[in-house]
Amino acid sequence: MLQGLFDEDAGDGEYYYQGTPSTNSKSTVEKPLPPRNETNLCGLQNQGATCYLNALIQTLLFTPEFREPLFELSAKDLNLPSNDSSQTPSSGNILKVRKIIVELQRLFAEMLLLNQQACSSIRLTDSFGWQSNETFDHQDVHELNRLLFDAIQKSLQGTKQSNLILSTYEGSTINYTQCKRCQKIFKRREDYQDLPLVVQDSPNLHTSLANMFTLHEHLVGDNQYRCSSCANALCDAEKWAKISKLPPILTFPLQRFVYDIKTGNRLKKTTRYEFPFDIDLKEFCEDSVIETDYELFAVVIHKGTCYSGHYYGYIKDVDHIGCWTRPPPPLSPATKSSNKQKAANARHANTPNSKSRNDRTSNQTDPVETDEEIAKKIDMIRTILLSCDDSLTIDDLFKTYRDNTTVPRGRTRGSNGTFAKFLRTHPEVFNIDDKRVRLVEQMDVDENEVTDMDYESSQTDKSLTNDYENDEYWFCFDDLSVTCVTRQNIQRHYGLNDCAYMLFYRLKNHRNKNGSIMDCSDTSYSIAQWLIDEITEKNKILEEKREIYEKYQNQLPVTIYPGDWFEVIDDCRLNLNNNNQVLFPDQYGEHVFDKRIKINEFISNLEDTYGAGSHFYVAKKLRSGQLHVVSELTNSNDDLTLDKNDLSNYRHIIVFQHPSTLSDTVLQGEEFEPIMLNIVFGFPDAHIHASRLQTTRHVSKNTTLFELKKTLFFDYYQHDDPQLLRLVRMGKLNLEEKNNRKSRREYKTDEEKQTLGQLYLHDGDTLGIDDKNSFVPSWKDASSNSTNMRKTHLSLTVKNNIDSTNTKPMTYSCLNTTPVGEVKSMAIQAFGLSIDASLCRLHIDDDSDVAHIPLYDHQTVDTIEFKQNNTNLCLKLGQALKENHLLIYILSDREPNSLELVADQSITLFDLWNLIKQELHMDNNDNEYHLCEVRPSMINDGPPLNDFDQTLLVNGLTNGVQLIMQSGSVAPRNHVRLRAFRITNKSYKPNEAIHTRPIFEMIELKKRFELPITSSYNVFRESIARFIDFKVPSNYIDKAQPLEFIRLYDIENDQPTSIVHEPVLTTLKQAKVHDLRSYAFEVLLNPEYLAKKDLLLNIVYSKDNASSYFQHRSELHLPLRDNTVAKYDYLEQHVWTHFKSSKNDNDSTQINKITLARYFPDRGQWLIIDPSSVTNKKVKISNLNLKLEPYRLDDFTVLGALEGEHLTTEDFDTQYDKIKRQNMEQEKEQKRTNRERNRTENDRNQQNGSSGRRKSPQNAMRINVDDFDG
């Protein structure tokens, strides 16, 4: 019988009704791209920061002189396979596909024929060879114009349109130079595809052209001309230029960016600059040029700074492709200011507690951003929003912004709130609604400004509507957006920051090759048939998707209940009383309607199904699962639809079939909606009456607080006493507040006259009641003592997700203490399933983050965390969970779907790993993975889980947790793994330069040493000695340990640097040693004891006969245990002793005096160590610390020791040092030369009005083109 209610209307087909029960309420339909707007023109999607590309592509599309010849190229010309022209051939074919031309044709065809708001340029940029990150680089549209023309020119080689760029865009100029001595005139021709114009000091386009082609430059003085006719002598001369050839399309890039020589920065010139819509260039041309009349047809606008910004374009539709209507005139300044004030007032009015929030945030110190940084930030966020179809959540937008910005992480870490605040402080750009961010497109008139404006009063006389400004059709193309504009809109950019950046003029009365005038108003586009077929199919698919989406958007799921299922409680709640029939009877249950159906028609169909005279009540589902009647469905005099009725919000209907009806005593309406309140009695003897007091109350929201207090007073004392009632007080409780005084907000006497709704009380709020003589030390304790665990009813709906043929849900009213396992058993019986209860489980049926987490069989239904007023559950297959079980989802690259594991919460993390390896068929010795917890609310996953010996609960795992397997092993908790490299050899380059830093050759040990972070480095040394099986030499067996023969080095840039000193009591944790840190070690011949402040120096001595290099090198241990300061006398004594012991025993030469010098390898220089030469008067010579400036002694410092007195640095110099300093001087001179050259180039660019210098690194733009010369 219900089928007739939901059948499609066969009369006019205006609406679609579907009566099949909803099997999956959470299914969604992807939103297709919207069709074109009223302009019938197509925009382009922004891939990230490709607005410059979009503006240029739109200009080329509306250039018929370029578009039509491009369409004339056939599939054969493009080397496309004849059997399927829409697909590029395989790489095995001989002929290369002209990919760029193919994708240009396809994109142009889609922009002309595809019924879509905006097309994608991804295939075109893919043909350029661009990577995805390149679409986020800010680039220059003029630079793209030149690169693209060059790529098109190369791609068209060998085709009939090989000269398309040259014939359409290329012109030429002649530079004249006349020698004043011989009067001879020299000519030089230059070709151009665009004419860059200097904007600085030029008020308009005519002046810029006159400066180039009418003014004569006199070459005199230092700027004289070298005349070839005057024996190459320097002569005074005069120089000027003329245009010798004009192309059909003339492009003028405006040089807005100049170099400020004072600040060294680029600046954007936004001074007023006018350009005509029609121009005659005859005065700038040679007499041979005949056609010189041009008309403006495209203007590319740049908004922003010279380092970042946004491009969009104004384009004239010369083909009349689009539908142009006159836009409303701009608002006057007074009206605009008034509407802005109204919008601001509305925003403040809709923002609760705005003052307190501002007060809280005003004291916070946010990083100060400059105007330029703010502009860059807005532009980046804008490009991200333009690249998406509709909107983004703040979290997703923040993540994408951080992934694509160059701002350091420290500036954005944990600053999601700051990011949202930034968006809200720019309402003219961003619109935030329900935590989703949309972009406010503002071109001509702000949408907020015209909200309150009477549109009819702003219209001009209708007689002007048909006057299309001399039949001109101007449109604004801003990525996705296409709007109609007039000349007035373009002229506004003469003096704005959003200024013209490129001007495109076309020759009036342009003639074709055959000499006829080109008629652009009757163009057929000449699109190839394979492209037409491809786009026709795309349009068909789009229409089907839109139809499906439209039906989906207008679906209204409604649950219909029989009236005899309910009993009335408290005159406002309807409780299910249907345990004898828990499944919906026929014609009842869940159904989906079309919300566009008219109410009268809907009621008529319901009466046909349930009988004439039946009553239909719209009900709201309460937090307890019970229903409250909001209104009765009645016929309306207006043609209202379901989406205008209460049913669209509450989606529940109770049917009372004639003659039964709902009792008149039942309170109906939203104002009588019951609120579930928790009551805490704070009277001194409350614990005595706890057994009979009802602490959970359902009270109508129109009840006054005094009426509620009076009712509670009577329930407690069992009689009325107005005198005692005056002493009773009530307040709202916050039981989570630790401060008992702050945990209660007492209501004043005047507030008792207000209703519960006026006091903004909601379901689940807690109220406390006591008298003025009571003293409640802890309301939380009073709550636990006085709460009566009286059983209450809860209405549940359980869906069958196991058997798809049985779609009717079960409705069940049970006590709040009912175990979930009992509800599950009831559902299995009601659905007629032959399945063991241990093989299925119940889940919350909603779209929350906990929907995937199954419920425990032992938990009671009142512990289920339902979302709002949803009390829906669903029955699914899966192992039932016992009290000590955890359901864990494992995500890995080994399985396409997540792995479900039910594990005991008392097992260790190591045991869990063994279970995972077993389920994924992994090798037990495969330890190259670690687990991290997936946190949907955060950008990154949680830290690695590495407490392998502890239980799952200790590791913080809960039921339903999602873990992801990441590559790479991790150390156990409070442990680190250290890598060790053994030094096998030391060498010098050149070999005789033994005083320089050596080059170490190392091999890594196969073992990674796993140590507790409380260990010292001695434990590491001992582990290394044990692993390499080091044996103490026989002469040290009783004197030293193996670890004392192991010297440790820190490693930087794959080379050992400083020595790790021992003994040191510092632990690995205190030394901040991270996991997998690398160390080098060297096995010594003798034991070594390096204290914390000791130095290990390298001493070189005994130069060769030619004094070209040192002959000997040795290590010197300078102990500083008792000398915290490295004094010169102390150092000299040790070096003297070492120097004497190193002399040959047969050498009887008496050593009287040695001189020490410190070597600086990075400079190739020596410094004589002479404390008397230090000019620091505050330090005595005897107390000079050589570890400080200027000597800076440290481990491995090289000291030269030569016999003699009053030696200089030249005595220590080697041939290597001289060559090194000479090379450094050459490098320094080369850098100076490069700076001079760059400075000269910058000066030249500054004179030309531009600069090639960039403030920040930027990727160079490129377009890859195959070779088609053959």
Side-chain angles (χ1 to χ4, degrees), residues 283-294:
E283 62 177 300
F284 312 117
C285 301
E286 293 284 322
D287 294 337
S288 58
V289 181
I290 300 176
E291 296 182 349
T292 58
D293 289 334
Y294 280 81

mmCIF file of all heavy atoms in Angstrom, residues 283-294:
data_model
loop_
_atom_site.group_PDB
_atom_site.id
_atom_site.type_symbol
_atom_site.label_atom_id
_atom_site.label_comp_id
_atom_site.label_asym_id
_atom_site.label_seq_id
_atom_site.Cartn_x
_atom_site.Cartn_y
_atom_site.Cartn_z
ATOM 1 N N GLU A 283 51.588 56.888 -35.348
ATOM 2 C CA GLU A 283 52.692 57.812 -35.072
ATOM 3 C C GLU A 283 53.937 57.105 -34.560
ATOM 4 O O GLU A 283 55.020 57.673 -34.553
ATOM 5 C CB GLU A 283 52.252 58.844 -34.040
ATOM 6 C CG GLU A 283 51.867 58.261 -32.698
ATOM 7 C CD GLU A 283 51.501 59.321 -31.690
ATOM 8 O OE1 GLU A 283 52.377 60.177 -31.405
ATOM 9 O OE2 GLU A 283 50.344 59.311 -31.207
ATOM 10 N N PHE A 284 53.801 55.836 -34.157
ATOM 11 C CA PHE A 284 54.947 55.091 -33.667
ATOM 12 C C PHE A 284 55.508 54.126 -34.713
ATOM 13 O O PHE A 284 56.440 53.372 -34.403
ATOM 14 C CB PHE A 284 54.559 54.286 -32.408
ATOM 15 C CG PHE A 284 53.808 55.085 -31.390
ATOM 16 C CD1 PHE A 284 52.500 54.770 -31.040
ATOM 17 C CD2 PHE A 284 54.410 56.183 -30.779
ATOM 18 C CE1 PHE A 284 51.810 55.516 -30.103
ATOM 19 C CE2 PHE A 284 53.727 56.935 -29.837
ATOM 20 C CZ PHE A 284 52.419 56.607 -29.501
ATOM 21 N N CYS A 285 54.919 54.120 -35.908
ATOM 22 C CA CYS A 285 55.276 53.119 -36.912
ATOM 23 C C CYS A 285 55.954 53.757 -38.120
ATOM 24 O O CYS A 285 55.897 54.978 -38.342
ATOM 25 C CB CYS A 285 54.026 52.357 -37.388
ATOM 26 S SG CYS A 285 53.156 51.502 -36.070
ATOM 27 N N GLU A 286 56.564 52.889 -38.895
ATOM 28 C CA GLU A 286 57.092 53.289 -40.190
ATOM 29 C C GLU A 286 55.937 53.632 -41.121
ATOM 30 O O GLU A 286 54.800 53.176 -40.934
ATOM 31 C CB GLU A 286 57.925 52.140 -40.776
ATOM 32 C CG GLU A 286 59.201 51.818 -40.014
ATOM 33 C CD GLU A 286 60.285 52.841 -40.282
ATOM 34 O OE1 GLU A 286 60.414 53.313 -41.424
ATOM 35 O OE2 GLU A 286 60.989 53.191 -39.327
ATOM 36 N N ASP A 287 56.226 54.419 -42.131
ATOM 37 C CA ASP A 287 55.177 54.800 -43.075
ATOM 38 C C ASP A 287 54.635 53.612 -43.846
ATOM 39 O O ASP A 287 53.503 53.645 -44.357
ATOM 40 C CB ASP A 287 55.732 55.840 -44.058
ATOM 41 C CG ASP A 287 56.092 57.149 -43.369
ATOM 42 O OD1 ASP A 287 55.521 57.405 -42.274
ATOM 43 O OD2 ASP A 287 56.936 57.895 -43.890
ATOM 44 N N SER A 288 55.410 52.539 -43.922
ATOM 45 C CA SER A 288 54.974 51.359 -44.674
ATOM 46 C C SER A 288 53.910 50.562 -43.942
ATOM 47 O O SER A 288 53.250 49.712 -44.541
ATOM 48 C CB SER A 288 56.174 50.455 -44.966
ATOM 49 O OG SER A 288 56.810 50.070 -43.749
ATOM 50 N N VAL A 289 53.757 50.804 -42.647
ATOM 51 C CA VAL A 289 52.746 50.078 -41.875
ATOM 52 C C VAL A 289 51.397 50.743 -42.112
ATOM 53 O O VAL A 289 51.228 51.940 -41.842
ATOM 54 C CB VAL A 289 53.099 50.082 -40.376
ATOM 55 C CG1 VAL A 289 52.041 49.311 -39.607
ATOM 56 C CG2 VAL A 289 54.474 49.472 -40.145
ATOM 57 N N ILE A 290 50.446 49.973 -42.630
ATOM 58 C CA ILE A 290 49.151 50.545 -43.028
ATOM 59 C C ILE A 290 48.113 50.380 -41.927
ATOM 60 O O ILE A 290 47.494 51.355 -41.486
ATOM 61 C CB ILE A 290 48.663 49.886 -44.337
ATOM 62 C CG1 ILE A 290 49.691 50.123 -45.454
ATOM 63 C CG2 ILE A 290 47.291 50.424 -44.721
ATOM 64 C CD1 ILE A 290 49.350 49.439 -46.754
ATOM 65 N N GLU A 291 47.889 49.144 -41.466
ATOM 66 C CA GLU A 291 46.858 48.871 -40.464
ATOM 67 C C GLU A 291 47.450 49.103 -39.078
ATOM 68 O O GLU A 291 48.297 48.335 -38.607
ATOM 69 C CB GLU A 291 46.335 47.442 -40.602
ATOM 70 C CG GLU A 291 45.615 47.181 -41.924
ATOM 71 C CD GLU A 291 45.061 45.775 -42.000
ATOM 72 O OE1 GLU A 291 45.417 44.953 -41.118
ATOM 73 O OE2 GLU A 291 44.274 45.488 -42.911
ATOM 74 N N THR A 292 46.958 50.151 -38.438
ATOM 75 C CA THR A 292 47.512 50.524 -37.128
ATOM 76 C C THR A 292 46.445 50.711 -36.057
ATOM 77 O O THR A 292 46.755 51.120 -34.941
ATOM 78 C CB THR A 292 48.310 51.828 -37.260
ATOM 79 O OG1 THR A 292 47.442 52.855 -37.776
ATOM 80 C CG2 THR A 292 49.510 51.652 -38.171
ATOM 81 N N ASP A 293 45.185 50.420 -36.372
ATOM 82 C CA ASP A 293 44.096 50.590 -35.400
ATOM 83 C C ASP A 293 43.915 49.300 -34.586
ATOM 84 O O ASP A 293 43.687 48.225 -35.174
ATOM 85 C CB ASP A 293 42.786 50.948 -36.104
ATOM 86 C CG ASP A 293 42.811 52.360 -36.655
ATOM 87 O OD1 ASP A 293 43.564 53.179 -36.096
ATOM 88 O OD2 ASP A 293 42.102 52.635 -37.637
ATOM 89 N N TYR A 294 43.993 49.442 -33.273
ATOM 90 C CA TYR A 294 43.871 48.289 -32.382
ATOM 91 C C TYR A 294 42.785 48.544 -31.354
ATOM 92 O O TYR A 294 42.490 49.691 -30.999
ATOM 93 C CB TYR A 294 45.201 48.013 -31.658
ATOM 94 C CG TYR A 294 46.212 47.267 -32.501
ATOM 95 C CD1 TYR A 294 46.991 47.939 -33.436
ATOM 96 C CD2 TYR A 294 46.378 45.905 -32.358
ATOM 97 C CE1 TYR A 294 47.919 47.257 -34.214
ATOM 98 C CE2 TYR A 294 47.306 45.205 -33.123
ATOM 99 C CZ TYR A 294 48.077 45.884 -34.046
ATOM 100 O OH TYR A 294 48.986 45.198 -34.812
#
